[in-house]
Amino acid sequence: MASKSLLSEEDFSCPVCCDIFMDPVLLSCSHSVCKVCLQQFWEKQDSKNCPVCRRRSSKEHPPVSLALKNLCETFLQERSQGTSAESEELCSQHREKLKLFCVDDKQLVCLVCRDSNKHTDHKFKPVDEAALDKREELKTALKPLQEKLKIFEKVKQTCDQTAELIKSQAKHTERQIKEEFEKLHQFLQDEEAARIAAVREEEEQKSQMMKEKIEEMSRDISHLSDSIRALEEEIKAEDISFLKVMNHSIHNSNKFYSSMFVSQCTLQDPHMLSGALIHVAKHLGNLKFRVWEKMQEIVEYTPVILDPNTAHPELILSEDLTSVRYSKEIQQIPDNPERFDSYPFVLGSEGFNSGTHCWDVDVENSIDWCLGVMTESVHRKRGGFWGGIWTANYYYEKYWSRSPGPSDTLLTFNKKLQRIRVQLDWDTGKLSFSDPLTNTHIHTVTHTFTQRMFPVFCNGINLPLRILPVQCSVRVEEHS
């Protein structure tokens, strides 16, 4: 067997990672590879071949080569000892071992340097103590870096979640858009079919009317033609025969003449029917407008739409973003800056910094809710938003009002409400709550608003809190 001193580092190196073997396994072809390297190679290649000779391994889990493993450990130990011995430096001035560390000059020194005038009254420490102190200093300096690394890793994880959610949101939104347009397409197809059917029905009715008129005219024409032919035959007769017929007709109460002119006397002159043509204007006049007008039957307008990017992870929004319910199961969504993380809140998608705005909310099924407005700049993390919120609340079977401050104010309103109307007059600084079903005032807040205000909603139970649609209409304004 060859001496250890004759073996080089290459003899103990893995052919895959080119580093000293770690848990080397022995393949059936006699080649050795690190256990981890072999597993990674097989996963990447999707085969059980040797990384060196490409021969297929007969074993799925090759055994560890204990002899090679022991040789590698011995080699590493000897190399470490040799490196340690080589790394023991000497003083460049006195060629003595560097055993001390000058605290004042912050440099390694030997015993001769310590006693020299250059280091008079200086403080010294043994090398191992000085190294220990420096290691502690580095560990102390390392802690904030480690904390910062955790912050970066957490933010990166949030970014990864956000990237995945972006794809999911885009796919979900695209699907919903297609579904909504399918409904519109179906409506237009049904409307088209109905209007074409109306045209065809009118066509059938008026075609039948014209058919009957044509048949009547054909009968009259036939009758007149027969009379004309009879008279023409009488006229062509010989004079004596013609006169005899005439005399005979006279002696028989003018029956001849009556038969000659009866058709002229009883038939009125023909005329065209009024309104026989298709009423084109009725079918085509303002067609797009009439269809748009009828589209109100399937179209709804909701004055406030919820913003899913602000919703607390325990809130579930409806597909059309008009209702919200609470769920104990926390959704795996990124903690983006817009999202609430302490209370089950969600904001409207649009804020207001002028004008009057109103929305009705169905609260009949909820026993734990709050409605109102919140400033745009409010801090949404860890419950810091109470300084910029104005709401009417319902919990513990009582109604409360909340304004910036430490606690809620009890409202003396005992009736159980089914709907709440929230009305914000930003310019005059009024926020009022009322019951739209009975037109009953509940509470009014006065404040000089200086920021953009967003509708805010909170629901503490699994039954939906729903924003109600408003009636919309198509209106034509005449020129004055």
Side-chain angles (χ1 to χ4, degrees):
M1 183 177 177
S3 173
K4 291 181 184 179
S5 60
L6 299 178
L7 296 175
S8 64
E9 182 174 342
E10 185 178 351
D11 296 313
F12 299 100
S13 298
C14 170
V16 176
C17 65
C18 300
D19 204 349
I20 303 300
F21 283 112
M22 293 292 293
D23 295 327
V25 295
L26 182 63
L27 299 174
S28 55
C29 59
S30 299
H31 289 114
S32 295
V33 187
C34 291
K35 184 176 181 180
V36 174
C37 294
L38 182 64
Q39 292 175 349
Q40 293 176 349
F41 179 81
W42 281 358
E43 289 175 0
K44 185 177 180 181
Q45 298 295 325
D46 196 20
S47 64
K48 305 295 183 182
N49 297 334
C50 171
V52 180
C53 65
R54 305 296 178 177
R55 180 178 173 183
R56 186 170 181 80
S57 174
S58 60
K59 298 180 179 179
E60 187 173 352
H61 301 286
V64 176
S65 177
L66 295 178
L68 181 57
K69 181 179 180 181
N70 293 334
L71 285 173
C72 291
E73 292 175 352
T74 302
F75 177 79
L76 289 172
Q77 185 177 2
E78 290 179 352
R79 187 175 69 175
S80 175
Q81 291 175 352
T83 303
S84 177
E86 291 171 2
S87 63
E88 192 174 60
E89 298 182 9
L90 301 177
C91 177
S92 60
Q93 184 177 359
H94 304 107
R95 306 307 297 171
E96 295 287 335
K97 291 182 179 181
L98 298 172
K99 294 186 175 182
L100 299 174
F101 180 78
C102 179
V103 177
D104 299 279
D105 292 337
K106 292 183 172 47
Q107 64 180 24
L108 292 165
V109 296
C110 66
L111 296 178
V112 179
C113 292
R114 180 193 62 183
D115 298 332
S116 65
N117 292 333
K118 182 181 177 181
H119 294 281
T120 301
D121 297 330
H122 285 188
K123 184 178 180 181
F124 299 92
K125 284 186 177 182
V127 170
D128 57 345
E129 291 185 11
L132 180 62
D133 291 343
K134 290 296 180 183
R135 285 191 176 93
E136 292 299 324
E137 289 180 12
L138 285 177
K139 286 180 181 178
T140 303
L142 187 62
K143 284 183 179 179
L145 294 177
Q146 291 172 334
E147 293 299 323
K148 188 172 289 292
L149 176 62
K150 291 180 181 179
I151 295 173
F152 272 86
E153 289 175 343
K154 184 178 180 180
V155 173
K156 181 183 178 297
Q157 183 181 8
T158 302
C159 290
D160 292 337
Q161 289 181 329
T162 303
E164 290 298 319
L165 184 58
I166 288 171
K167 294 179 181 178
S168 175
Q169 282 182 318
K171 186 176 180 180
H172 180 70
T173 304
E174 181 180 338
R175 178 181 61 80
Q176 285 186 275
I177 290 173
K178 288 182 178 179
E179 289 178 358
E180 290 301 315
F181 271 91
E182 279 297 325
K183 295 176 183 177
L184 294 175
H185 293 161
Q186 188 61 50
F187 169 82
L188 292 175
Q189 289 172 2
D190 295 342
E191 190 65 17
E192 177 189 11
R195 291 179 180 271
I196 290 175
V199 173
R200 290 177 178 174
E201 182 181 358
E202 185 179 356
E203 177 194 16
E204 184 177 354
Q205 291 175 353
K206 293 189 173 180
S207 295
Q208 180 64 29
M209 182 175 64
M210 289 307 300
K211 179 181 177 182
E212 294 173 355
K213 180 66 176 177
I214 291 171
E215 290 176 351
E216 180 185 352
M217 294 293 294
S218 297
R219 288 193 299 270
D220 291 341
I221 290 171
S222 177
H223 185 67
L224 284 173
S225 297
D226 292 342
S227 298
I228 291 170
R229 281 194 299 271
L231 287 172
E232 288 176 344
E233 290 296 328
E234 294 291 342
I235 292 171
K236 291 178 183 179
E238 294 292 335
D239 293 342
I240 295 175
S241 298
F242 175 73
L243 291 173
K244 287 181 178 181
V245 170
M246 292 288 290
N247 290 331
H248 180 74
S249 298
I250 292 172
H251 291 298
N252 289 281
S253 303
N254 295 322
K255 291 182 179 179
F256 173 77
Y257 291 103
S258 61
S259 65
M260 286 175 57
F261 303 108
V262 67
S263 57
Q264 289 94 328
C265 296
T266 58
L267 291 178
Q268 297 179 356
D269 290 342
H271 62 276
M272 285 297 298
L273 295 174
S274 177
L277 297 178
I278 297 293
H279 198 337
V280 177
K282 181 184 73 173
H283 297 292
L284 295 182
N286 293 318
L287 178 59
K288 295 185 182 69
F289 178 83
R290 297 306 176 194
V291 173
W292 179 35
E293 193 176 34
K294 190 174 181 181
M295 195 176 289
Q296 294 175 89
E297 298 174 3
I298 66 166
V299 173
E300 287 187 345
Y301 176 77
T302 305
V304 173
I305 299 297
L306 301 176
D307 183 359
N309 296 334
T310 66
H312 186 276
E314 293 178 336
L315 292 181
I316 308 296
L317 306 187
S318 62
E319 291 282 329
D320 61 357
L321 305 178
T322 61
S323 69
V324 56
R325 63 182 178 86
Y326 177 80
S327 173
K328 292 183 178 180
E329 184 177 351
I330 299 178
Q331 302 174 81
Q332 297 301 316
I333 50 181
D335 186 22
N336 49 295
E338 302 88 352
R339 193 177 305 282
F340 292 95
D341 65 356
S342 296
Y343 287 85
F345 280 7
V346 60
L347 296 183
S349 59
E350 295 185 19
F352 313 118
N353 58 2
S354 64
T356 301
H357 309 274
C358 180
W359 56 96
D360 292 352
V361 184
D362 184 352
V363 297
E364 182 178 5
N365 295 322
S366 180
I367 57 173
D368 185 2
W369 52 262
C370 75
L371 305 170
V373 294
M374 179 180 288
T375 59
E376 182 176 22
S377 64
V378 75
H379 186 63
R380 305 178 188 182
K381 306 297 182 184
R382 294 175 294 280
F385 49 78
W386 295 119
I389 185 172
W390 291 262
T391 60
N393 309 341
Y394 183 74
Y395 57 89
Y396 299 137
E397 298 183 354
K398 294 182 182 298
Y399 293 95
W400 310 75
S401 71
R402 172 173 286 276
S403 297
S407 61
D408 294 348
T409 302
L410 181 64
L411 299 176
T412 56
F413 193 86
N414 299 322
K415 179 185 176 182
K416 181 70 170 65
L417 297 170
Q418 297 179 4
R419 293 183 183 180
I420 295 288
R421 173 166 293 168
V422 184
Q423 184 165 338
L424 171 67
D425 189 339
W426 194 95
D427 298 321
T428 61
K430 287 186 179 181
L431 175 68
S432 61
F433 302 90
S434 61
D435 178 1
L437 297 179
T438 60
N439 198 25
T440 304
H441 175 261
I442 299 173
H443 182 62
T444 296
V445 176
T446 56
H447 179 78
T448 302
F449 300 112
T450 58
Q451 297 187 44
R452 184 181 297 273
M453 306 301 293
F454 282 82
V456 63
F457 305 83
C458 174
N459 190 5
I461 66 170
N462 194 31
L463 295 174
L465 197 70
R466 187 167 66 95
I467 306 167
L468 299 173
V470 298
Q471 185 176 5
C472 57
S473 62
V474 178
R475 186 176 62 183
V476 178
E477 293 185 359
E478 300 290 347
H479 293 294
S480 59

